[in-house]
Amino acid sequence: MEKCMHEIISPNDAMDFKLDFSVDSGSVVNKHYHDWLEIVYLLKGTLEVEENNERCLLKENDFVVLDPMCIHSTRCREGNTAILLQIPMAWLEKFMPDIHCLMFRVEEEKVYETGDPQIYEAYGRLRDGIKELGVVYLQAEEGYIFQCYSLIFSIMHLLVRYFSRKISRQDRMKSEKNLERIRRIMEYIRSHYREELPLSRIAGEIGLNPAYFSRFFREQMGIPYLEYVNRIRLEHIYTDLLYTDLPVGELQERHGFYNYKLFMRMFRQVYGCTPGKVRGGKKS
């Protein structure tokens, strides 16, 4: 389900953030962005995460911190259970107005490489805090919302104090400019993906030289433009396989994917199975 979109997130009732347990039997959540700080903690299974074209594989008790407005995607091949925490930047800015100038990075290997016991201790406290937050939320005992807020403030303190760095104003402005351009590109593709979409057409719509557009797109998204368009088509075909009984060939035509061999190869690559297996799994 490869798309880059501005995801709309809603907080939990009576909370300023979104906190949830995610039980995933297998999915692809493709490139998207939002103005929320996101933390995913794996309790069971595995999860492939790509953030700004850097990939990592999360296993049990691993976690990842995703910066607001970063382009990211996830793939769950064999199922997992995770704690999902998403905190809106607008809320965090009430307590730290310049927090948008920070970039967060938490990598276990680099924590060990520092040789700094203070950072190692902070990493352990951060991991324990996220896991405790999940337990408190799941048990939902009387007054648990207060404890959730307490733990989130502790998590944010550790992130800001030990696992952040300042972004220069110039770099931030460049990033915002690139993201706005990507947003325009993605909106156009989502509106016209059923049609023929040669690179020259969309480059003209955005006002860029085709050669420059091709380089820019690949640098920002990590894949070539035409592959991206085909992945959007795949997403819609996958959804229709689950929720309609239309033949696969008709779904290909409906969503603009006319090359059958390429379709089958990409479908297996992205979803790890054939279209028939997806539909068969739905019926079972």
Side-chain angles (χ1 to χ4, degrees), residues 34-36 38 64 70 89 195:
H34 45 69
D35 199 20
W36 295 51
E38 180 170 349
V64 64
C70 73
M89 288 298 285
E195 308 165 16

Side-chain angles (χ1 to χ4, degrees), residues 88-265:
M89 288 298 285
W91 182 67
L92 292 175
E93 286 173 351
K94 294 179 181 179
F95 310 100
M96 187 175 180
D98 62 344
I99 194 169
H100 59 276
C101 296
L102 298 181
M103 176 178 287
F104 300 99
R105 186 64 64 219
V106 185
E107 298 178 61
E108 186 173 17
E109 289 184 3
K110 291 187 177 180
V111 168
Y112 287 109
E113 289 174 1
T114 64
D116 187 335
Q118 193 174 25
I119 293 179
Y120 180 71
E121 180 189 7
Y123 178 79
R125 289 164 56 198
L126 181 60
R127 180 193 295 229
D128 293 344
I130 299 168
K131 192 169 185 178
E132 184 181 357
L133 178 63
V135 172
V136 169
Y137 174 73
L138 184 63
Q139 293 177 344
E141 297 176 350
E142 186 174 5
Y144 80 100
I145 290 179
F146 297 112
Q147 192 172 2
C148 285
Y149 272 89
S150 174
L151 287 165
I152 285 176
F153 278 113
S154 177
I155 288 167
M156 288 308 308
H157 170 256
L158 291 168
L159 285 175
V160 170
R161 176 69 178 83
Y162 297 102
F163 303 103
S164 69
R165 67 176 181 84
K166 284 199 172 184
I167 311 169
S168 70
R169 184 172 180 274
Q170 182 178 1
D171 286 345
R172 186 158 53 86
M173 290 179 64
K174 181 179 178 181
S175 176
E176 290 172 355
K177 180 181 178 181
N178 288 343
L179 190 60
E180 172 58 22
R181 183 175 284 168
I182 284 293
R183 182 192 63 78
R184 290 174 56 207
I185 292 169
M186 294 308 105
E187 286 184 357
Y188 188 85
I189 293 174
R190 285 172 59 79
S191 298
H192 299 277
Y193 77 93
R194 291 185 176 92
E195 308 165 16
E196 290 290 330
L197 275 182
L199 186 148
S200 57
R201 172 179 166 182
I202 192 166
E205 289 289 338
I206 302 301
L208 296 176
N209 172 279
Y212 177 81
F213 176 93
S214 179
R215 291 194 303 272
F216 172 80
F217 190 92
R218 186 155 194 163
E219 287 172 1
Q220 296 298 312
M221 305 302 292
I223 58 175
Y225 162 74
L226 289 178
E227 180 180 344
Y228 186 90
V229 174
N230 282 332
R231 289 196 177 200
I232 289 183
R233 293 166 176 157
L234 282 183
E235 174 199 4
H236 290 279
I237 294 170
Y238 183 90
T239 300
D240 281 353
L241 284 169
L242 293 175
Y243 298 107
T244 77
D245 292 318
L246 295 175
V248 174
E250 185 173 337
L251 294 180
Q252 285 181 249
E253 292 185 9
R254 169 184 282 195
H255 297 297
F257 210 134
Y258 297 103
N259 186 323
Y260 180 76
K261 289 184 178 180
L262 178 60
F263 163 72
M264 291 298 295
R265 184 171 73 247

Side-chain angles (χ1 to χ4, degrees), residues 10 28 47 52-53 59 62 73 110 124 144 154 177 241 244 250 284:
S10 299
V28 176
L47 181 68
N52 294 330
N53 302 327
K59 300 179 181 178
D62 288 340
S73 61
K110 291 187 177 180
Y144 80 100
S154 177
K177 180 181 178 181
L241 284 169
T244 77
E250 185 173 337
S284 63

Side-chain angles (χ1 to χ4, degrees), residues 32-50:
H32 63 286
Y33 62 93
H34 45 69
D35 199 20
W36 295 51
L37 179 70
E38 180 170 349
I39 300 175
V40 182
Y41 186 109
L42 259 286
L43 297 168
K44 184 179 180 181
T46 60
L47 181 68
E48 299 172 27
V49 179
E50 181 174 337

